[in-house]
Amino acid sequence: MKKKKKRSLSNAMFGEHLDIRHRLLNLVLLSTLCGGVMLITVHLLFHSGAAIVYPLSLLIAAVLIAIYVSVSRKQPQMAAIILVMVVNVGVFPVLYFAEGGIASGIPIWQVFGLIICWVLLRGSFSFIIYLLNVAMAVSCIVLEMMYPEMVSHATRGEGVYISIVQAMVMVTCIFGVVFKYQIFKYESQNKQLEQSEQEKAGLNKKQMK
């Protein structure tokens, strides 16, 4: 029963009936969910306080909702919008000011959030969402320059370095998984095409004989 459930869940999220963008969205959602849980664990271990844990909890809630919309409701575009808007406009700006501003790992996560706008969203609407998210990220930096007292520095000492290192590792891991998956699917499709062409060539040779 457990194997069947795992297979059905895997098929619902990464089945061949889904287009590649939909599967990439589900992969990003799962990776972000794992990353959010790890971030909460690290911050609880270092006693960062509710100012950081609450936004991360909102991140996990938004990802779970996006997974439901993507998998159960079959609306990947809406799921992607929920993810990028809640994360880039809501969660990351709060974390930016709570965790130390530009001297923290949050700018790395903001770059991640901006890139997934291009990867996950479709059509001209993606440009609007991207520009809105860029404006929010730039506003955080400008506000810190003008009002440095807005940055609370809840993470101090070695916690700052841990924040930067974990952001570097987790963001690159998420992108690594996404690109590896894309390459794997591309190579699989190429092999299938080569096999079908070889079969056709074999059939043509038989017909010629």
Side-chain angles (χ1 to χ4, degrees):
M1 287 294 291
K2 287 183 179 180
K3 287 184 178 180
K4 286 183 179 179
K5 285 182 179 179
K6 285 180 180 178
R7 286 177 183 173
S8 61
L9 179 61
S10 176
N11 185 61
M13 299 193 77
F14 305 108
E16 294 297 327
H17 61 287
L18 302 175
D19 62 51
I20 187 65
R21 194 185 295 266
H22 196 165
R23 281 177 274 174
L24 285 176
L25 167 65
N26 291 335
L27 186 59
V28 169
L29 288 171
L30 280 179
S31 302
T32 306
L33 179 63
C34 294
V37 172
M38 290 176 65
L39 283 171
I40 285 181
T41 303
V42 170
H43 283 296
L44 286 175
L45 288 174
F46 284 90
H47 307 288
S48 298
I52 291 173
V53 174
Y54 287 159
L56 290 175
S57 301
L58 175 61
L59 166 65
I60 291 174
V63 170
L64 290 173
I65 292 170
I67 290 174
Y68 169 77
V69 172
S70 175
V71 177
S72 298
R73 305 291 294 180
K74 302 290 191 298
Q75 295 180 2
Q77 181 77 346
M78 181 58 67
I81 291 171
I82 291 170
L83 176 67
V84 298
M85 291 302 291
V86 172
V87 168
N88 291 340
V89 178
V91 175
F92 287 165
V94 173
L95 290 176
Y96 181 91
F97 291 104
E99 194 158 330
I102 200 71
S104 69
I106 301 304
I108 299 173
W109 283 105
Q110 287 177 310
V111 171
F112 164 75
L114 294 175
I115 293 174
I116 62 173
C117 290
W118 292 104
V119 176
L120 302 181
L121 296 173
R122 300 173 184 267
S124 58
F125 188 63
S126 63
F127 295 102
I128 299 171
I129 297 293
Y130 172 75
L131 291 174
L132 178 62
N133 289 323
V134 167
M136 182 59 69
V138 172
S139 296
C140 291
I141 298 171
V142 172
L143 283 172
E144 182 182 7
M145 289 172 59
M146 296 176 64
Y147 308 102
E149 66 275 8
M150 291 181 66
V151 179
S152 67
H153 301 285
T155 305
R156 299 174 183 273
E158 65 179 13
V160 174
Y161 300 102
I162 291 171
S163 171
I164 295 171
V165 170
Q166 74 181 6
M168 290 171 58
V169 171
M170 292 172 69
V171 168
T172 52
C173 281
I174 292 173
F175 279 123
V177 169
V178 169
F179 287 123
K180 285 284 187 184
Y181 180 77
Q182 277 187 305
I183 292 169
F184 170 75
K185 297 307 293 184
Y186 178 75
E187 290 177 345
S188 298
Q189 289 174 353
N190 277 348
K191 286 179 182 179
Q192 289 174 357
L193 287 172
E194 287 176 2
Q195 287 175 357
S196 63
E197 286 176 1
Q198 288 174 358
E199 289 173 0
K200 285 179 183 179
L203 288 171
N204 289 335
K205 285 180 180 179
K206 287 181 181 179
Q207 289 175 356
M208 290 292 289
K209 290 178 181 180

